[in-house]
Amino acid sequence: MTLLTIEHLNKTYADGTEALRDVSVRAADGEILAILGGSGCGKTTLLRLVAGLDEASGGVISVGGERMTGTHRTISAVFQEPRLLPWLNVEQNIGFGGQHLSAEERSGRTAALLDRVGLAGYGKRWPKDLSGGQQQRVAIARALIGHPGILLLDEPFSALDPFTRGSLHELLLALWQEMKPTVLMVTHDVDEAVFLADRIVVMQPRPGRVHETITMNLPRPRDRISPVFDTVKRRIMHAIDRSLGEHGRIGLRQAAGELSPWW
Amino acid sequence: MGGAARPWLTGLIVPVLLGVAWEAGVRFGLIPGRLMPPPSALWHSAVAMTHAGELQTHVAATLWRVLTGFGIGAATGTVLGTLTGASERARLLLDPTIQGVRAIPSLAWVPLFILWLGIFETSKLALVALGVFFPVYLGVLSSIQDVDRKLVEVGRVFGLTSFGIVRRITMPAIMPVWIAALRSGLGLGFMFVIAAELMGASEGLGFLLLDGQQMGRADSILVAMVTFALLGKLADGMIVGLSRPLLRWQDTVRARL
Ligand SMILES: Nc1ncnc2c1ncn2[C@@H]1O[C@H](COP(=O)(O)OP(=O)(O)OP(=O)(O)O)[C@@H](O)[C@H]1O
Ligand SMILES: [Mg+2]
């Protein structure tokens, strides 16, 4: 049901910017797919098309074999900013993600999720009275309350400090293991991608397209400071370096061939 | 603020001092009491007018005009502002006309209203409603256009219909501006009701002003003015009080005071 296929997707904005050209990506049921790539290579555009917030210029997005048009109940999202509704308290914000649920179901799941994301006792607070990390926890709970088949994440942790980010990675993984949504996650952070993803799609800019797809063979739980983690990171960095072409070198000194192959 | 037990008392210091100085000035013959009756004289006049039942009649007439006119003006301003704010087509169609009408100083309508609607209640209500309409219309229109697109997208992602987005995103988002617009509309409503009553009325606080001028009674003019101040403050305070629970979420400097 929640297999996500994106075929030959094109997007040209009204001003003529070609943001995506012939992008094809498949995410298996319950897979975590990270999308990495330099700035402006169409990552946000891709997520917005899948979310149904923008219309593609060509190509097909389908979920479980059903062709998508517009937004869909099984697809939910966490944005780069928490985007909580300031006039709703924490509980109501979480409940907002479960529009189709009955009132009892909604309040039951809200209470459980509040506890799960470590905000038990914060239910009656206003968003303005939470820290950035706490707000993003609420946003995650809001995205999961409806038990989505597909969860879209657009750099959800990029504004947070490394420790908060690390603990939110753990939280996200734990919730993913419980609910097993298919996750499509955009990030700039190689470490984040390697820690979380089953596969990494490296995109290249102007126009945005898929440069390379790399499968992670790292078992979970993963250790951020293990040598093998580093080796994988290096491989990804090299893929990004190549994807950026002559003008976007990111300062790698050791050639890819000199790395000990781990795969 | 400032650690005072009743901060609003601070606001009373200046008026009380002025009142005392005024009273003293009249007693010592520095101020002509007939043209500038002191607070004690005003108090006596107000009590006498209340005993005669006069003041209540005027207050009731004025309040009825302001509140009815305010209701009409605020309702049409809200509806039209919502329409032009939410629909590009409605905005292109209606907004230029409304802005054009706004360019006419509202008091310029008085002769026409009297000609069309007579000198009795209808023309007065129309004038008050017109005065209230514009700030409310402008506030609603601009605040709808200022609603954060990102929050609207949240509504879309979580499956709200267009109507649901208006109800659950747009309406709460514009609430602070809408309430501020209602408050300035109400202020204008009080201003326009005086204009309307000065044009010709047999009762109302505006009539009391005019009557006081013609009879040479500064005390009834001042009583009318003070009553206006009290009514205006009371009505504004009611909007503020009623809206406070709706705006507690706001993250503003004001909310922290
Ligand atoms: N609404 C828009 N209208 C016109 N061009 C746009 C619009 N949104 C994005 N673009 C362009 O499309 C391209 C891809 O943008 P997008 O935001 O998808 O990149 P991104 O990969 O998410 O970048 P970043 O990593 O910096 O967030 C860019 O060249 C951008 O300027
Ligand atoms: Mg982006």
Side-chain angles (χ1 to χ4, degrees):
Chain A
M1 168 53 202
T2 48
L3 172 83
L4 172 69
T5 57
I6 297 167
E7 286 162 42
H8 309 298
L9 202 63
N10 291 306
K11 174 67 184 179
T12 304
Y13 282 106
D15 65 359
T17 310
E18 192 178 9
L20 294 176
R21 179 187 289 176
D22 196 24
V23 170
S24 297
V25 174
R26 273 171 80 84
D29 199 346
E31 183 179 34
I32 300 183
L33 202 64
I35 300 170
L36 266 175
S39 190
C41 66
K43 306 183 296 293
T44 297
T45 302
L46 178 62
L47 276 204
R48 291 178 58 84
L49 294 180
V50 176
L53 291 174
D54 264 331
E55 238 175 287
S57 315
V60 177
I61 299 170
S62 48
V63 172
E66 183 195 343
R67 188 177 172 155
M68 301 284 310
T69 49
T71 57
H72 194 289
R73 180 194 293 179
T74 197
I75 299 184
S76 94
V78 178
F79 302 90
Q80 178 163 1
E81 331 76 33
R83 296 199 190 184
L84 302 182
L85 302 178
W87 49 85
L88 300 182
N89 67 24
V90 166
E91 263 171 21
Q92 293 166 328
N93 262 294
I94 295 177
F96 191 87
Q99 296 291 334
H100 57 283
L101 302 176
S102 71
E104 308 97 85
E105 231 178 343
R106 198 179 308 142
S107 65
R109 287 193 196 176
T110 300
L113 273 166
L114 261 178
D115 197 39
R116 270 317 266 104
V117 301
L119 291 176
Y122 285 70
K124 302 287 185 229
R125 286 221 195 178
W126 298 114
K128 63 171 172 143
D129 299 327
L130 298 181
S131 72
Q134 289 170 333
Q135 291 188 23
Q136 206 54 298
R137 285 169 191 266
V138 176
I140 292 173
R142 175 177 69 184
L144 290 172
I145 190 172
H147 293 174
I150 293 173
L151 177 63
L152 305 175
L153 303 163
D154 190 358
E155 300 183 38
F157 310 127
S158 63
L160 306 173
D161 67 88
F163 310 118
T164 309
R165 199 182 304 154
S167 67
L168 285 180
H169 289 159
E170 298 282 5
L171 172 65
L172 184 67
L173 272 184
L175 289 167
W176 169 76
Q177 257 143 4
E178 274 166 42
M179 305 187 189
K180 278 295 159 95
T182 302
V183 177
L184 199 59
M185 161 172 217
V186 165
T187 176
H188 276 137
D189 182 351
V190 177
D191 192 82
E192 177 168 283
V194 175
F195 188 73
L196 295 173
D198 293 306
R199 277 189 305 142
I200 294 179
V201 176
V202 177
M203 291 185 64
Q204 73 184 80
R206 282 173 296 275
R209 61 223 123 113
V210 175
H211 176 76
E212 197 175 338
T213 303
I214 298 158
T215 305
M216 304 281 95
N217 287 324
L218 289 172
R220 292 194 178 93
R222 295 176 187 168
D223 180 359
R224 266 180 228 281
I225 52 170
S226 64
V228 64
F229 195 91
D230 253 5
T231 316
V232 178
K233 253 172 82 175
R234 252 185 257 167
R235 164 137 159 67
I236 307 294
M237 297 283 272
H238 275 281
I240 292 172
D241 193 49
R242 285 193 299 277
S243 80
L244 292 174
E246 282 309 314
H247 304 293
R249 295 281 160 192
I250 53 176
L252 303 186
R253 296 291 172 265
Q254 200 175 18
E258 293 168 30
L259 302 174
S260 53
W262 54 274
W263 53 93
Chain B
M1 290 286 283
R6 293 189 184 78
W8 54 270
L9 280 177
T10 317
L12 289 178
I13 295 176
V14 173
V16 166
L17 283 182
L18 281 178
V20 169
W22 188 351
E23 189 79 45
V26 173
R27 293 277 157 96
F28 291 113
L30 301 171
I31 300 175
R34 203 184 64 80
L35 287 179
M36 298 187 66
S40 59
L42 292 185
W43 177 251
H44 284 302
S45 302
V47 170
M49 286 161 85
T50 311
H51 271 302
E54 209 185 330
L55 194 58
Q56 294 91 312
T57 318
H58 294 311
V59 166
T62 297
L63 262 190
W64 185 81
R65 286 171 189 140
V66 171
L67 295 183
T68 313
F70 174 77
I72 298 169
T76 42
T78 304
V79 170
L80 282 179
T82 307
L83 197 65
T84 52
S87 147
E88 168 102 38
R89 205 175 304 167
R91 181 162 61 254
L92 292 175
L93 181 69
L94 298 175
D95 190 54
T97 309
I98 296 176
Q99 298 292 350
V101 173
R102 190 169 80 97
I104 305 170
S106 302
L107 291 180
W109 286 94
V110 168
L112 205 55
F113 279 166
I114 291 178
L115 211 56
W116 285 347
L117 305 169
I119 55 161
F120 299 109
E121 289 308 302
T122 323
S123 61
K124 295 186 177 59
L125 295 183
L127 189 64
V128 174
L130 187 74
V132 174
F133 171 83
F134 286 108
V136 175
Y137 169 80
L138 291 178
V140 171
L141 167 59
S142 69
S143 63
I144 286 185
Q145 294 184 296
D146 287 342
V147 171
D148 190 351
R149 173 189 56 81
K150 292 176 172 169
L151 297 185
V152 173
E153 284 179 1
V154 169
R156 288 174 61 201
V157 163
F158 291 110
L160 292 188
T161 58
S162 320
F163 177 71
I165 286 177
V166 169
R167 198 173 64 83
R168 306 220 36 208
I169 311 270
T170 314
M171 286 197 358
I174 71 169
M175 187 68 72
V177 178
W178 186 61
I179 285 165
L182 289 182
R183 290 177 68 186
S184 59
L186 187 66
L188 283 178
F190 272 101
M191 192 158 115
F192 281 78
V193 84
I194 304 185
E197 290 177 346
L198 285 177
M199 299 307 153
S202 52
E203 54 185 22
L205 291 170
F207 163 78
L208 196 58
L209 290 174
L210 199 60
D211 191 53
Q213 182 209 323
Q214 283 161 355
M215 299 301 190
R217 288 194 52 190
D219 60 331
S220 56
I221 295 180
L222 283 165
V223 167
M225 288 171 70
V226 172
T227 312
F228 262 123
L230 292 177
L231 288 181
K233 191 78 192 125
L234 200 71
D236 187 57
M238 267 172 62
I239 296 188
V240 172
L242 289 175
S243 64
R244 184 162 294 151
L246 297 174
L247 297 181
R248 210 154 272 159
W249 52 269
Q250 276 192 300
D251 193 10
T252 57
V253 174
R254 179 186 299 279
R256 301 219 177 267
L257 291 181

